[in-house]
Amino acid sequence: MQTEIISIGGMTCAACSTRVERALHKLEGIESAFVNLATEKARIIFNPEIIDYIKIKDAIQKAGYRVLESSKNTADEDIKKKELKILKLKLIVSCIFAFPLLYIAMAPMLTWPNLPFSVRLHHLMEDSRGAIIFALTQLFLTIPVILAGNKFYTRGFKNFINRSPNMDSLIAIGTSAAFIYSLYNTYLIITGRTYLAHSLYYETAGVIIALILLGKYLEALSRGRTSEAIKKLMGLSPKTAIIIEKNNMGEEVEKEVPIENLMPGDLILIKPGMKIPVDGIVTQGHSAIDESMLTGESIPVDKKPGDMVYGATINSNGVLYISAEKVGEETALAQIIKLVEDAQNSKAPIAQMSDIVSGYFVPIVTGIAIIAGIAWFLAASFGLVQIPAGYSGIPSSLEFALGIFISVLVIACPCALGLATPTAIMVGTGKGAENGILIKSGEALEISHKIKSIVFDKTGTITEGRPELTDIMGIGKWEDESGIDKLLAIAAAAEKSSEHPLASAIVKEAEKRNLSLPSVINFNALPGHGIEAEIQESRDEVSNTSSITILIGNRKLMEMENILISNLEEKSLKLAEEGKTPMYIAINREAAGIIAVADVIKKSSAAAIKVLHEMGIETTMITGDNKLTANAIARQTGIDRVISEVLPADKAGEVKKLQESGTENHRKLYVAMVGDGINDAPALTQADIGIAIGSGTDVAMESADIVLMRNDLMDVSRAIRLGKRTIRTIKQNLFWAFAYNVMGIPIAAGLLFLFGGTLLNPMFAALAMSLSSVSVVTNALRLKGFKP
């Protein structure tokens, strides 16, 4: 399967995004398609063997929308800035003409306050020639406003004809009805019916367009702020870099080049204060690097030859020469940006209800408007209701019904429904990225607030993952000091081929003692048990063979190999009770000694577990360590439950058991798994939410739903709090979006008037519609001030 992010132009409301989604889902080979109204992008997963990009593009265009060819963020940003400028110009034009139009139309109708020229305008309407001037002036002021809002008509009627009406269709129909009715009355005024000067609706059409353009402009400004996280991340990378290359004379010279021209293997000079342009390895120099943008740690990290450095981090003092390893879209920063983008272009399950409503919204609203208009017209015509003062006879009944028809069309707002979820997800995921919490999807964000149980891996998660050798003892011929050194050297030689964190502690201790390590002939890792290796050994007083076999591991390994360890069990028990990890050593199938390693508990672990308990979340630690060692770690950190001596392959099964255990109400227990994202991958995938904790450089871990860039367990509770707050914001947005339409449409249809209340003026309906979308986006922006 292939994933494409496509920018789409011309969408104005949730009905538009729903229409594009439906058009895409009809295509064979489309696995899934989600169109985000807030970002104006479609995230499409498809089978490239069945369908290609051209067919996808054609389907979007046939649905009535534009495909913006460049999907690069910079190009998208330029397009949006240009569209915002055009929208601002149209708003200015509409306001320049709409305000005098409103004044001229309304001033003669008002008895209080006594506005300038109101009396003169009133007398002008009573005169035959004056009435014509009065009507034509309003007509000429309305035309520029309608031209400024021309897209409402071109898109609205086009979609209506294509049987896929959207918000533009509602606006186009409503304002066109007002304009055409007024235009017809202007013709009648010219023919002598001057009394119809009181029956013009030009200001309704003009002011509605101006108000909606105002709402669209404010909405565009607000929506621009929701993507600030992406803009900030993109702004971190430098634009140029200094590379070292040889000239024609064979001399090394400095050359400044655009960052886009860098290639793997380039030698790059990093001067003090400069940003590092790519991910690379230090080849020369010493310095301290500010990696706060990547890890959130404010203390600079010392770097020397052989160390890895990352793009967009800052060189604090010394001069460094680095060899480029990853450039462009392969850098850690680029992967972070991609993760945030993918999350912002994903859909949360909570949005399903609004999607369903949006698909039927416009046709239903149009039907309500027509029914309400006809019903009130008939009721007013046959005297079943007393119409407001100023209305009389059949023409007035038509005006009365027309006002209700327009109000219903204009007040309806599918935009608020379409923006309720994606805007909150955009701000929430952006806020997470600012705090080193990378949430990979809207679904992960939603599920995170349901988590009631969290399973932690021990090594590298609860502990630092940098264990130290604390004890080593031998028995028999390995018992004296020289025997222990020999045992350590053999163990270190075997463990040097292992990638397990405990192995590094043994190797480091041997290096610290300056021990000479023998050669390894064969090595075999036994996951969940230990290692087995064959060591090259010369004939001496210690061994009479040219090679020896060494086993290092837990009790299970010794039992599997039928090796007697009874004389070591008491010591092992004592070490485990101290929180150390004891490992048995067997040489040539005979017990030779025991070696213990202790992994330091992170400073934040106990505090993080305490915070999770305060949130009502149960904690479990899962580890391959023995029960005593695991319990000692649990006591120090406050972990509720311990599952020890578990093979990596069995961790997923333990998570599944926990999920199926349920609660007292027999509901599903939502479980999160926190691990390093490598050997914990099956468990991370099995959990409802997989949380990978690390340095922030391995942000592309497919198994995790949330990636914590900082090696800090406190970020687990922060991620969950952020999820809770974002979902609460989404629910608020959906509530107000639904409530607005549920209350607004009946009021516009005359429900209050039916029970003795007032009618809703179409202009106030337009203002309410515009502000509803702005209020939803503004509410989502409140998340920017949230401190997880």
Side-chain angles (χ1 to χ4, degrees), residues 141 200 238 262 480 588 593 620 714 736:
L141 287 172
L200 298 176
L262 293 176
D480 60 13
N588 292 333
T620 301
M714 290 297 290
W736 288 114

Side-chain angles (χ1 to χ4, degrees), residues 361-438:
F361 186 88
V362 176
I364 290 173
V365 168
T366 305
I368 291 172
I370 293 171
I371 292 169
I374 294 172
W376 281 112
F377 174 74
L378 293 174
S381 298
F382 290 102
L384 298 177
V385 293
Q386 186 177 356
I387 58 178
Y391 292 85
S392 60
I394 293 177
S396 295
S397 300
L398 182 59
E399 289 177 26
F400 176 66
L402 182 63
I404 289 173
F405 173 73
I406 296 169
S407 293
V408 172
L409 289 177
V410 171
I411 201 170
C413 186
C415 295
L417 288 173
L419 293 170
T421 301
T423 50
I425 288 176
M426 285 180 70
V427 181
T429 52
K431 188 68 180 178
E434 289 176 11
N435 288 274
I437 302 167
L438 301 182

